[in-house]
């Protein structure tokens, strides 16, 4: 099966119309209505919820335009914000058109579920991303469900001696974290009403670090009480241990440390500033300017360590055991949705610099591939989240960077795999 790898923007109105008919536009209409209701009253959730459900929001935007104008108007076709949803819709329609009815119906049901669950959507987008990568290299891509040859995600028939099994894994920003981003943003929403006096009068920088014993309390009333206790201590500027065992560390910082933050376009630079101010490392932090010219920096963390790398390789190990054939060459395609192109390149650059220690990612891959139970795994490719690239010669490309770890010691290694990501 050949998957579509490009579309013409003039086709977008017809693509959306047919996608809405085939899949049912009520699925994204109802989803967005529910999400808007859920984020009502907490402005901190808006950007995160829109990002987590970006395909659904784009489809709903197209539905609203179609309802108002009868079609997607021509002036909207240059809006690059709709291109991911248009590409998704076109690729799905292509697969449905070329598939037996049973598989097509199965795919429709999967899309219905993915529109309700961001993790499921990420998994589907990761498979399409991998399929696109191989199709752009002129390789035939098939879905094992169609042929019954296995439970992995993709099969590339023309690679290696017997084809290549590809298992796709999508890794969200929450993977391995004790505290998830939405929990933090929900907490900020509970804390916000209690900070009116501080937000008006603070003229300096104030860092507030909240460390919970393990995870955020699940009960709404418990989170609400935690927010009330934290706000009281901020007014008193007191470090303390709260009734649930959470600790609070409050320190002043020089407002000049923020420099051009948050307008800086360099995520690494912004992270360095935040870590220095909060005396933490890579934790969820929000910085808010006050009316008096000061700034509040809120950082939330768990007393227990995050385990991203361990979580990634536990997932791959379990998958290698249960989903790969073991008799054919196999590849893991791991899409890191919380890592952008520059960040992944930075990780790869550190590993190539002999004067620097190897990254945790490299050490994890080395340990993973050294297991004799994974001889069939010819490599692991880590892929950054996809972005749109600048227009060239009338084309707008999309994709991310790839950090590929080949396993040339595998008995199933073939020279066919050498140029997979070049």
């Amino acid at each position: 099966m050949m998957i579509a790898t490009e579309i013409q923007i003039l086709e977008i109105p017809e693509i959306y119309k047919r996608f809405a008919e085939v899949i049912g536009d009520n699925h994204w209409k109802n989803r967005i209505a529910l999400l808007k209701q859920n984020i009502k009253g907490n402005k901190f959730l808006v950007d995160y919820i829109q990002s987590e459900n970006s395909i659904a929001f784009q489809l709903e935007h197209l539905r609203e335009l179609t309802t108002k104008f009868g079609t997607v108007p021509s002036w909207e076709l240059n809006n690059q914000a709709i291109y991911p949803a248009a590409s998704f819709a076109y690729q799905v329609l292509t697969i449905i058109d070329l598939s037996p009815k049973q598989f097509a119906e199965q795919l429709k049901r999967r899309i219905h579920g993915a529109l309700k669950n961001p993790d499921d959507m990420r998994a589907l987008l990761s498979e399409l991303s991998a399929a696109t990568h191989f199709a752009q290299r002129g390789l035939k891509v098939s879905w094992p469900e169609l042929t019954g040859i296995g439970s992995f995600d993709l099969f590339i028939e023309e690679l290696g001696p017997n084809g290549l099994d590809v298992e796709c894994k999508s890794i969200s920003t929450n993977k391995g974290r004790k505290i998830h981003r939405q929990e933090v943003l929900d907490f900020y929403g509970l804390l916000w009403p209690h900070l009116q006096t501080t937000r008006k009068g603070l003229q300096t920088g104030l860092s507030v670090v909240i460390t919970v014993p393990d995870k955020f309390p699940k009960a709404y009333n418990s989170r609400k009480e935690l927010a009330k206790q934290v706000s009281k201590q901020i007014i008193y500027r007191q470090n303390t241990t709260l009734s649930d065992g959470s600790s609070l560390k409050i320190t002043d910082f020089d407002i000049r440390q923020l420099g051009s933050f948050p307008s800086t376009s360099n995520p690494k630079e912004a992270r360095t500033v935040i870590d220095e101010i909060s005396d933490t490392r890579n934790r969820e932090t929000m910085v808010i300017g006050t009316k008096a010219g000061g700034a509040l920096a809120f950082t939330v963390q768990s007393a227990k360590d995050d385990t991203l790398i361990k979580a990634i390789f536990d997932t791959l190990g379990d998958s290698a055991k249960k989903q790969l054939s073991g008799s054919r060459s196999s590849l893991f395609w791991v899409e890191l949705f919380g890592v952008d192109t520059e960040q992944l390149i930075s990780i790869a650059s550190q590993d190539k610099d002999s004067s620097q220690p190897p990254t945790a990612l490299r050490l994890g891959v080395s340990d993973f591939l050294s297991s004799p139970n994974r001889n069939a795994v010819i490599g692991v490719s880590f892929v950054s989240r996809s972005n749109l690239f600048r227009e060239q010669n009338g084309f707008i490309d999309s994709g991310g960077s790839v950090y590929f770890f080949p396993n040339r010691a595998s008995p199933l290694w073939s020279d066919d795999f050498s140029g997979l990501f070049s």
Side-chain angles (χ1 to χ4, degrees):
M1 180 187 299
M2 292 302 293
I3 186 171
T5 59
E6 63 180 56
I7 65 173
Q8 301 290 325
I9 64 170
L10 293 177
E11 297 174 324
I12 290 176
E14 187 57 34
I15 290 171
Y16 172 76
K17 180 182 177 183
R18 182 157 176 257
F19 187 76
E21 291 171 352
V22 171
I23 303 300
D25 61 5
N26 61 302
H27 290 281
W28 49 88
K29 178 185 177 181
N30 295 340
R31 173 63 173 168
I32 298 306
L34 177 63
L35 291 173
K36 286 182 176 179
Q37 187 63 35
N38 290 344
I39 63 180
K40 208 172 183 179
N42 186 349
K43 63 180 182 180
F44 300 110
L45 284 171
V46 175
D47 288 346
Y48 176 75
I49 293 295
Q50 288 180 346
S51 174
E52 282 285 278
N53 299 271
S54 59
I55 295 295
F57 272 97
Q58 291 168 42
L59 289 171
E60 176 59 7
H61 173 64
L62 293 172
R63 187 196 68 79
E64 290 174 343
L65 288 173
T66 302
T67 299
K68 184 175 182 179
F69 299 105
T71 186
V72 179
S74 58
W75 46 259
E76 182 67 12
L77 301 182
N78 290 318
N79 177 11
Q80 295 186 14
I82 66 172
Y83 292 174
S87 300
F88 171 74
Y90 190 46
Q91 289 194 314
V92 166
L93 290 172
T94 303
I95 295 169
I96 287 174
D97 288 344
L98 297 173
S99 301
K101 184 177 180 180
Q102 183 178 353
F103 182 74
E105 291 300 320
Q106 180 183 330
L107 179 56
K108 290 178 193 177
R109 291 192 296 272
R110 187 178 177 190
I111 291 166
H112 295 161
L115 287 165
K116 297 176 183 177
N117 187 322
D119 284 335
D120 290 346
M121 179 60 78
R122 273 187 285 270
L124 182 53
L125 291 173
S126 183
E127 286 181 33
L128 292 175
S129 174
T132 301
H133 173 83
F134 291 109
Q136 285 177 329
R137 282 151 182 78
L139 298 168
K140 187 177 179 182
V141 180
S142 63
W143 274 258
E145 295 101 313
L146 288 172
T147 56
I149 62 172
S151 59
F152 48 94
D153 293 316
L154 303 172
F155 182 57
I156 317 301
E157 297 179 21
E158 300 155 345
L159 283 177
N162 300 300
L164 178 68
D165 301 350
V166 180
E167 177 60 25
C168 304
K169 296 298 175 187
S170 59
I171 307 297
S172 74
T173 55
N174 291 321
K175 187 75 171 180
R177 288 187 180 271
K178 292 290 183 180
I179 300 173
H180 292 183
R181 183 163 294 173
Q182 185 164 343
E183 294 175 322
V184 176
L185 296 171
D186 178 65
F187 179 72
Y188 290 153
L190 296 173
L191 185 62
W192 188 249
H194 300 289
L195 298 175
Q196 289 186 19
T197 302
T198 305
R199 281 156 40 205
K200 288 179 181 177
L202 184 65
Q203 298 178 341
T204 61
L206 192 67
S207 168
V208 180
V209 179
I210 307 159
T211 305
V212 299
D214 186 10
K215 297 182 178 182
F216 258 126
K218 291 185 178 180
Y220 173 78
N221 287 336
S222 298
R223 297 197 305 273
K224 195 173 179 180
E225 178 60 27
L226 177 61
K228 189 185 291 186
Q229 291 185 34
V230 168
S231 65
K232 184 185 292 186
Q233 299 307 318
I234 290 174
I235 293 172
Y236 296 148
R237 306 274 185 106
Q238 290 181 344
N239 296 339
T240 188
T241 299
L242 304 176
S243 60
D244 71 337
S246 298
S247 66
L248 199 62
K249 179 183 175 184
I250 303 174
T251 55
D252 294 310
F253 67 88
D254 188 339
I255 198 77
R256 290 175 296 184
Q257 284 181 263
L258 291 175
S260 60
F261 181 88
S263 60
T264 176
S265 60
N266 187 332
K268 191 173 183 180
E269 181 183 314
R271 172 49 60 188
T272 299
V273 171
I274 291 300
D275 288 353
E276 184 178 330
I277 287 172
S278 64
D279 193 27
T280 60
R281 180 171 175 77
N282 198 30
R283 300 304 187 193
E284 292 286 355
T285 301
M286 177 178 69
V287 179
I288 304 170
T290 69
K291 292 181 179 179
L296 279 165
F298 288 101
T299 304
V300 179
Q301 63 179 356
S302 170
K304 296 188 177 179
D305 291 335
D306 290 335
T307 55
L308 172 61
I309 297 298
K310 181 179 184 303
I312 289 174
F313 289 103
D314 282 351
T315 299
L316 299 190
D318 186 60
S319 179
K321 199 185 306 179
K322 296 178 180 178
Q323 293 178 281
L324 301 178
S325 67
S327 60
R328 288 185 300 270
S329 306
S330 57
L331 169 79
F332 278 105
W333 174 282
V334 185
E335 198 142 355
L336 305 172
F337 282 84
V339 177
D340 63 27
T341 296
E342 291 182 359
Q343 289 171 319
L344 189 58
I345 290 174
S346 177
I347 292 170
S349 297
Q350 179 176 329
D351 283 337
K352 290 178 181 177
D353 186 348
S354 58
S355 67
Q356 295 192 59
T359 63
L361 193 65
R362 180 178 176 182
L363 293 173
V365 172
S366 178
D367 184 58
F368 175 76
L369 292 177
S370 66
S371 170
N373 297 325
R374 295 167 194 142
N375 283 338
V377 180
I378 59 90
V380 181
S381 61
F382 291 93
V383 187
S384 69
R385 66 171 176 261
S386 183
N387 295 301
L388 292 176
F389 298 115
R390 185 176 299 174
E391 181 176 346
Q392 290 185 345
N393 301 321
F395 288 89
I396 297 175
D397 202 358
S398 66
S401 56
V402 179
Y403 188 8
F404 178 49
F405 293 87
N407 182 20
R408 293 186 173 87
S410 166
L412 297 179
W413 176 264
S414 165
D415 287 342
D416 286 357
F417 307 135
S418 295
L420 278 183
F421 299 98
S422 58

